Each structure stands twice: as structure tokens, then as C-alpha cells.
Amino acid sequence: MQQRSIAKLIKAVSIGALAPLLVLAAQKHPDPNEEAPTRVRYPEGIVHGFLLLRTLSGTTLAQGDLLQVARGDTVEGRILFRFKDGSIRDETGTYTQRGVFLLQSYHLIQRGPSFEDDLEVWMDGATGRYRVKSKAHKDGDEELEEGTLELPRNTYNGLVLTILKNLAKGAVGNIHIVAFMPKPRIVRVEVQPAGEQKLLLEDLQKAAIHYVLKPRLGTFTTLFAKVLGKMPPDNHAWILTGEIPTFVRFEGPLYPDGPIRRIEQTTLSWPP
């Protein structure tokens, strides 16, 4: 029974940022010394970007929109993916940017055959109140979870990519994500720079910082994860450097035990 519980814990899916999008294991009590929110270095504004979700071999699975609206110091960011098999993944994070980034609310919808279960999540970033509805595809069982969490101030569901753009160059960051499975768990994630990578825009060379997002597990959970062979993978993100940092790529699984997927920006093309 205990091993099954730990195995389910390690299979947790987060949708950061994007982010969207981290498979993580839970840490029960976040370290209060690592809860400082990220400083605003580049205030966010109105954005409409276009995304592609692909396999690592390049097959396109879904088309996406990156939508963002700023109203004063409050920003609503949304990433919506529409899959070829009819599945939907719709993630919205609302936050303030008054000196530091603070999460105000979070909403996630994922449904369809691309996921093991249908899931809808609501969370209030200020009060920690949450509500989770899930429905298993295998047996049709529905679950409802409600309650309140004591959220660290650097809880960043739905805005992981924004946080990465605002890290000082070469700095190691710590953030927290709430993983819903469907019962929520607070997870600490260490963000480590892993060097620069050269990219080409036509003939113009650019540089992107490669970040590795590492879930930090408690000793007890790590021990069982190794025994069960279910250590959660690191996730990876690339942020284009320059006067205005820009997200260019993310790699990580979308659901528990799922394959690694790639999210990239794309551009519109003109017909001949």
C-alpha cells in the first residue's frame, strides 16, 4: 500500500508554465528560506504567440496559442493547445508584477485521449483555496478534491516561462509548483542554468540560455523512487538572451509516465 502511494506521488503532473508542463514528485514541507518571490526585471504586457507541440522526432501533435493581457499591474497569461486527436489543454495563470511576481489565480483544463484522465483545476493564489475535478478514462470514476494549501510566495503555476525570463544571467533559482494528482502536493523545483546554446535566425546567430528544472525530493520519497525506478525526469527550457529575453523551447512530459514532448514557438506562413 505504501509503495503504491509513493508511486502515485512520483507520477504527479504539474503544468507550470507552462509552463506549463512539469512531471514532478512532492515535497511535503517547503523550506521557508527558499520561498522568496522572483523580482520583476522585465514587466509583461500584451502578447499573442503561436506554439507547436511535437514529439522529439519532430511529429506535430498540437497547435497552440500563447495569450497574455496586462491590466495595470495584473497579467493574465494563457497557453491553449488543440490536439489533432481532439484533446485540449488549457492553462491560465493570473499574477501581479509589483516589484515581484505573485500568483493570484490558476485554472487548468485537460481532457481527451492524449491524457490518462480528464482534469479541471481551480486555485486561488492568495488564499490557497483549491478545487479539483477529475475523471478517469479507464473506468469513468469521478473524483472531487477541495481544500486549502499554505502556498509559498514563489508558487508559480502557469507562469514558469515568465519566471525563467526574469532570472539574472547565471543565477540558480527556486520555485514551487502545486502538482494535482488529483490531490495537490507542493513541489520545490530548482532551476539551474546549463550554459548557452547557439541558434540561427536565417543567417543571424543568436544565443539561448539552457535551463534545467530539477524536482527536489525529500529523502524518504527519493529512496522509494529509486527502488520503484520512477524518479521524475528533469525538464528543460531555452530562453533567448538579449535586451528582451524570449522563450524558444521547452522539453518535458505532459502527463504521468508520458513521453517527453517539445514545445516551440512558430510563425505564420504565407500561401504561395
PDB file of all heavy atoms in Angstrom, residues 1 20 58 60 73 75 77 83 87 110-111 135 137 141 158 171 174 194 196 203 213 223 227 229:
ATOM      1  N   MET A   1       0.830  -1.202   0.000  1.00  0.00           N
ATOM      2  CA  MET A   1       0.000   0.000   0.000  1.00  0.00           C
ATOM      3  C   MET A   1       0.865   1.253   0.000  1.00  0.00           C
ATOM      4  O   MET A   1       0.638   2.185  -0.739  1.00  0.00           O
ATOM      5  CB  MET A   1      -0.937  -0.027   1.217  1.00  0.00           C
ATOM      6  CG  MET A   1      -1.807   1.237   1.334  1.00  0.00           C
ATOM      7  SD  MET A   1      -3.035   1.350   0.019  1.00  0.00           S
ATOM      8  CE  MET A   1      -4.140   0.047   0.528  1.00  0.00           C
ATOM      9  N   PRO A  20       3.950  25.850 -18.154  1.00  0.00           N
ATOM     10  CA  PRO A  20       3.361  24.988 -18.309  1.00  0.00           C
ATOM     11  C   PRO A  20       3.389  23.938 -18.039  1.00  0.00           C
ATOM     12  O   PRO A  20       2.983  23.614 -18.340  1.00  0.00           O
ATOM     13  CB  PRO A  20       3.423  25.731 -19.479  1.00  0.00           C
ATOM     14  CG  PRO A  20       4.175  26.052 -20.432  1.00  0.00           C
ATOM     15  CD  PRO A  20       3.820  26.182 -19.355  1.00  0.00           C
ATOM     16  N   GLY A  58      10.037  15.227 -34.068  1.00  0.00           N
ATOM     17  CA  GLY A  58       9.551  16.288 -34.937  1.00  0.00           C
ATOM     18  C   GLY A  58       8.113  16.181 -35.397  1.00  0.00           C
ATOM     19  O   GLY A  58       7.626  17.068 -36.104  1.00  0.00           O
ATOM     20  N   THR A  60       4.304  16.762 -35.340  1.00  0.00           N
ATOM     21  CA  THR A  60       3.441  17.745 -34.690  1.00  0.00           C
ATOM     22  C   THR A  60       2.200  17.068 -34.122  1.00  0.00           C
ATOM     23  O   THR A  60       1.490  16.351 -34.830  1.00  0.00           O
ATOM     24  CB  THR A  60       3.025  18.843 -35.683  1.00  0.00           C
ATOM     25  OG1 THR A  60       4.198  19.520 -36.157  1.00  0.00           O
ATOM     26  CG2 THR A  60       2.104  19.854 -35.021  1.00  0.00           C
ATOM     27  N   ASP A  73      -1.087  46.443 -13.126  1.00  0.00           N
ATOM     28  CA  ASP A  73      -0.024  45.561 -12.646  1.00  0.00           C
ATOM     29  C   ASP A  73      -0.430  44.098 -12.634  1.00  0.00           C
ATOM     30  O   ASP A  73       0.323  43.251 -12.149  1.00  0.00           O
ATOM     31  CB  ASP A  73       0.407  45.971 -11.236  1.00  0.00           C
ATOM     32  CG  ASP A  73       1.125  47.306 -11.222  1.00  0.00           C
ATOM     33  OD1 ASP A  73       1.782  47.627 -12.236  1.00  0.00           O
ATOM     34  OD2 ASP A  73       1.020  48.031 -10.220  1.00  0.00           O
ATOM     35  N   VAL A  75      -1.535  40.634 -14.701  1.00  0.00           N
ATOM     36  CA  VAL A  75      -1.368  39.992 -16.002  1.00  0.00           C
ATOM     37  C   VAL A  75      -2.079  38.645 -16.000  1.00  0.00           C
ATOM     38  O   VAL A  75      -1.987  37.886 -15.027  1.00  0.00           O
ATOM     39  CB  VAL A  75       0.126  39.778 -16.335  1.00  0.00           C
ATOM     40  CG1 VAL A  75       0.287  39.156 -17.722  1.00  0.00           C
ATOM     41  CG2 VAL A  75       0.893  41.092 -16.243  1.00  0.00           C
ATOM     42  N   GLY A  77      -2.057  35.253 -18.168  1.00  0.00           N
ATOM     43  CA  GLY A  77      -1.355  34.515 -19.208  1.00  0.00           C
ATOM     44  C   GLY A  77      -2.027  33.170 -19.453  1.00  0.00           C
ATOM     45  O   GLY A  77      -2.409  32.482 -18.515  1.00  0.00           O
ATOM     46  N   PHE A  83      -5.212  19.551 -29.827  1.00  0.00           N
ATOM     47  CA  PHE A  83      -4.544  18.376 -30.372  1.00  0.00           C
ATOM     48  C   PHE A  83      -5.263  17.857 -31.623  1.00  0.00           C
ATOM     49  O   PHE A  83      -6.475  18.052 -31.784  1.00  0.00           O
ATOM     50  CB  PHE A  83      -4.497  17.258 -29.328  1.00  0.00           C
ATOM     51  CG  PHE A  83      -3.568  17.525 -28.176  1.00  0.00           C
ATOM     52  CD1 PHE A  83      -3.877  18.476 -27.214  1.00  0.00           C
ATOM     53  CD2 PHE A  83      -2.382  16.822 -28.057  1.00  0.00           C
ATOM     54  CE1 PHE A  83      -3.024  18.714 -26.157  1.00  0.00           C
ATOM     55  CE2 PHE A  83      -1.522  17.061 -26.994  1.00  0.00           C
ATOM     56  CZ  PHE A  83      -1.846  18.007 -26.044  1.00  0.00           C
ATOM     57  N   SER A  87      -8.046  16.377 -28.296  1.00  0.00           N
ATOM     58  CA  SER A  87      -7.756  16.721 -26.906  1.00  0.00           C
ATOM     59  C   SER A  87      -7.519  18.222 -26.763  1.00  0.00           C
ATOM     60  O   SER A  87      -7.173  18.921 -27.724  1.00  0.00           O
ATOM     61  CB  SER A  87      -6.523  15.962 -26.405  1.00  0.00           C
ATOM     62  OG  SER A  87      -6.725  14.563 -26.467  1.00  0.00           O
ATOM     63  N   GLN A 110      -7.615  19.892 -18.826  1.00  0.00           N
ATOM     64  CA  GLN A 110      -7.028  18.946 -19.773  1.00  0.00           C
ATOM     65  C   GLN A 110      -8.006  17.800 -19.953  1.00  0.00           C
ATOM     66  O   GLN A 110      -8.492  17.211 -18.994  1.00  0.00           O
ATOM     67  CB  GLN A 110      -5.658  18.456 -19.314  1.00  0.00           C
ATOM     68  CG  GLN A 110      -5.630  17.666 -18.029  1.00  0.00           C
ATOM     69  CD  GLN A 110      -4.233  17.165 -17.683  1.00  0.00           C
ATOM     70  OE1 GLN A 110      -3.259  17.900 -17.843  1.00  0.00           O
ATOM     71  NE2 GLN A 110      -4.141  15.952 -17.200  1.00  0.00           N
ATOM     72  N   ARG A 111      -8.316  17.502 -21.198  1.00  0.00           N
ATOM     73  CA  ARG A 111      -9.259  16.425 -21.474  1.00  0.00           C
ATOM     74  C   ARG A 111      -8.983  15.849 -22.863  1.00  0.00           C
ATOM     75  O   ARG A 111      -8.431  16.509 -23.734  1.00  0.00           O
ATOM     76  CB  ARG A 111     -10.713  16.926 -21.394  1.00  0.00           C
ATOM     77  CG  ARG A 111     -11.078  18.004 -22.377  1.00  0.00           C
ATOM     78  CD  ARG A 111     -12.570  18.309 -22.343  1.00  0.00           C
ATOM     79  NE  ARG A 111     -12.938  19.342 -23.286  1.00  0.00           N
ATOM     80  CZ  ARG A 111     -13.074  20.627 -23.004  1.00  0.00           C
ATOM     81  NH1 ARG A 111     -12.855  21.044 -21.770  1.00  0.00           N
ATOM     82  NH2 ARG A 111     -13.416  21.483 -23.939  1.00  0.00           N
ATOM     83  N   LYS A 135     -11.696  12.835 -13.889  1.00  0.00           N
ATOM     84  CA  LYS A 135     -12.474  11.699 -14.383  1.00  0.00           C
ATOM     85  C   LYS A 135     -11.532  10.750 -15.088  1.00  0.00           C
ATOM     86  O   LYS A 135     -10.856  11.110 -16.058  1.00  0.00           O
ATOM     87  CB  LYS A 135     -13.576  12.161 -15.334  1.00  0.00           C
ATOM     88  CG  LYS A 135     -14.475  11.036 -15.829  1.00  0.00           C
ATOM     89  CD  LYS A 135     -15.586  11.568 -16.715  1.00  0.00           C
ATOM     90  CE  LYS A 135     -16.506  10.441 -17.188  1.00  0.00           C
ATOM     91  NZ  LYS A 135     -17.590  10.968 -18.057  1.00  0.00           N
ATOM     92  N   HIS A 137     -10.258   7.863 -17.500  1.00  0.00           N
ATOM     93  CA  HIS A 137     -10.697   7.340 -18.792  1.00  0.00           C
ATOM     94  C   HIS A 137     -10.982   5.843 -18.721  1.00  0.00           C
ATOM     95  O   HIS A 137     -11.861   5.333 -19.426  1.00  0.00           O
ATOM     96  CB  HIS A 137      -9.627   7.611 -19.854  1.00  0.00           C
ATOM     97  CG  HIS A 137      -9.523   9.052 -20.226  1.00  0.00           C
ATOM     98  ND1 HIS A 137      -8.514   9.551 -21.024  1.00  0.00           N
ATOM     99  CD2 HIS A 137     -10.287  10.125 -19.895  1.00  0.00           C
ATOM    100  CE1 HIS A 137      -8.671  10.853 -21.181  1.00  0.00           C
ATOM    101  NE2 HIS A 137      -9.738  11.220 -20.497  1.00  0.00           N
ATOM    102  N   ASP A 141     -14.593   6.753 -13.362  1.00  0.00           N
ATOM    103  CA  ASP A 141     -14.768   7.234 -11.992  1.00  0.00           C
ATOM    104  C   ASP A 141     -14.433   8.723 -11.904  1.00  0.00           C
ATOM    105  O   ASP A 141     -13.447   9.183 -12.479  1.00  0.00           O
ATOM    106  CB  ASP A 141     -13.867   6.460 -11.029  1.00  0.00           C
ATOM    107  CG  ASP A 141     -14.388   5.065 -10.759  1.00  0.00           C
ATOM    108  OD1 ASP A 141     -15.523   4.767 -11.190  1.00  0.00           O
ATOM    109  OD2 ASP A 141     -13.672   4.263 -10.124  1.00  0.00           O
ATOM    110  N   GLY A 158       1.504  28.072 -13.948  1.00  0.00           N
ATOM    111  CA  GLY A 158       1.022  28.849 -15.082  1.00  0.00           C
ATOM    112  C   GLY A 158       1.926  29.970 -15.533  1.00  0.00           C
ATOM    113  O   GLY A 158       1.624  30.638 -16.520  1.00  0.00           O
ATOM    114  N   ALA A 171      22.132  32.803 -12.723  1.00  0.00           N
ATOM    115  CA  ALA A 171      21.617  32.596 -11.370  1.00  0.00           C
ATOM    116  C   ALA A 171      20.856  31.275 -11.271  1.00  0.00           C
ATOM    117  O   ALA A 171      20.177  30.858 -12.209  1.00  0.00           O
ATOM    118  CB  ALA A 171      20.707  33.745 -10.962  1.00  0.00           C
ATOM    119  N   ASN A 174      14.885  29.052  -7.313  1.00  0.00           N
ATOM    120  CA  ASN A 174      13.994  28.073  -6.693  1.00  0.00           C
ATOM    121  C   ASN A 174      12.562  28.559  -6.826  1.00  0.00           C
ATOM    122  O   ASN A 174      12.271  29.729  -6.559  1.00  0.00           O
ATOM    123  CB  ASN A 174      14.328  27.895  -5.202  1.00  0.00           C
ATOM    124  CG  ASN A 174      15.591  27.097  -4.991  1.00  0.00           C
ATOM    125  OD1 ASN A 174      15.605  25.885  -5.170  1.00  0.00           O
ATOM    126  ND2 ASN A 174      16.672  27.774  -4.639  1.00  0.00           N
ATOM    127  N   ALA A 194      22.373  25.791 -17.570  1.00  0.00           N
ATOM    128  CA  ALA A 194      23.270  24.740 -18.070  1.00  0.00           C
ATOM    129  C   ALA A 194      24.044  25.206 -19.290  1.00  0.00           C
ATOM    130  O   ALA A 194      24.320  24.427 -20.214  1.00  0.00           O
ATOM    131  CB  ALA A 194      22.461  23.483 -18.394  1.00  0.00           C
ATOM    132  N   GLU A 196      25.070  28.159 -22.518  1.00  0.00           N
ATOM    133  CA  GLU A 196      24.418  28.784 -23.666  1.00  0.00           C
ATOM    134  C   GLU A 196      24.441  27.855 -24.873  1.00  0.00           C
ATOM    135  O   GLU A 196      25.323  27.019 -25.012  1.00  0.00           O
ATOM    136  CB  GLU A 196      25.109  30.096 -24.033  1.00  0.00           C
ATOM    137  CG  GLU A 196      24.813  31.240 -23.072  1.00  0.00           C
ATOM    138  CD  GLU A 196      25.289  32.569 -23.616  1.00  0.00           C
ATOM    139  OE1 GLU A 196      26.055  32.573 -24.606  1.00  0.00           O
ATOM    140  OE2 GLU A 196      24.900  33.602 -23.054  1.00  0.00           O
ATOM    141  N   ASP A 203      20.391  33.849 -41.271  1.00  0.00           N
ATOM    142  CA  ASP A 203      21.855  33.836 -41.206  1.00  0.00           C
ATOM    143  C   ASP A 203      22.380  34.523 -39.950  1.00  0.00           C
ATOM    144  O   ASP A 203      23.600  34.630 -39.771  1.00  0.00           O
ATOM    145  CB  ASP A 203      22.450  34.533 -42.446  1.00  0.00           C
ATOM    146  CG  ASP A 203      22.123  33.785 -43.731  1.00  0.00           C
ATOM    147  OD1 ASP A 203      22.028  32.539 -43.666  1.00  0.00           O
ATOM    148  OD2 ASP A 203      21.944  34.439 -44.762  1.00  0.00           O
ATOM    149  N   LEU A 213      15.278  22.168 -15.060  1.00  0.00           N
ATOM    150  CA  LEU A 213      14.343  22.269 -13.941  1.00  0.00           C
ATOM    151  C   LEU A 213      14.325  20.934 -13.221  1.00  0.00           C
ATOM    152  O   LEU A 213      13.863  19.916 -13.767  1.00  0.00           O
ATOM    153  CB  LEU A 213      12.945  22.641 -14.437  1.00  0.00           C
ATOM    154  CG  LEU A 213      12.820  24.046 -15.049  1.00  0.00           C
ATOM    155  CD1 LEU A 213      13.181  24.038 -16.526  1.00  0.00           C
ATOM    156  CD2 LEU A 213      11.413  24.586 -14.877  1.00  0.00           C
ATOM    157  N   LEU A 223      14.203   7.768  -1.812  1.00  0.00           N
ATOM    158  CA  LEU A 223      14.554   6.367  -1.586  1.00  0.00           C
ATOM    159  C   LEU A 223      13.563   5.447  -2.290  1.00  0.00           C
ATOM    160  O   LEU A 223      13.961   4.525  -3.018  1.00  0.00           O
ATOM    161  CB  LEU A 223      14.581   6.079  -0.085  1.00  0.00           C
ATOM    162  CG  LEU A 223      14.805   4.618   0.317  1.00  0.00           C
ATOM    163  CD1 LEU A 223      16.171   4.139  -0.178  1.00  0.00           C
ATOM    164  CD2 LEU A 223      14.697   4.462   1.831  1.00  0.00           C
ATOM    165  N   VAL A 227      13.904   2.845  -5.624  1.00  0.00           N
ATOM    166  CA  VAL A 227      13.521   1.435  -5.512  1.00  0.00           C
ATOM    167  C   VAL A 227      12.509   1.072  -6.595  1.00  0.00           C
ATOM    168  O   VAL A 227      12.588   0.006  -7.229  1.00  0.00           O
ATOM    169  CB  VAL A 227      12.944   1.147  -4.114  1.00  0.00           C
ATOM    170  CG1 VAL A 227      12.317  -0.246  -4.076  1.00  0.00           C
ATOM    171  CG2 VAL A 227      14.032   1.270  -3.053  1.00  0.00           C
ATOM    172  N   GLY A 229      12.059   2.645  -9.405  1.00  0.00           N
ATOM    173  CA  GLY A 229      12.502   3.012 -10.742  1.00  0.00           C
ATOM    174  C   GLY A 229      11.663   4.091 -11.369  1.00  0.00           C
ATOM    175  O   GLY A 229      11.470   4.119 -12.585  1.00  0.00           O
TER     176      GLY A 229
END
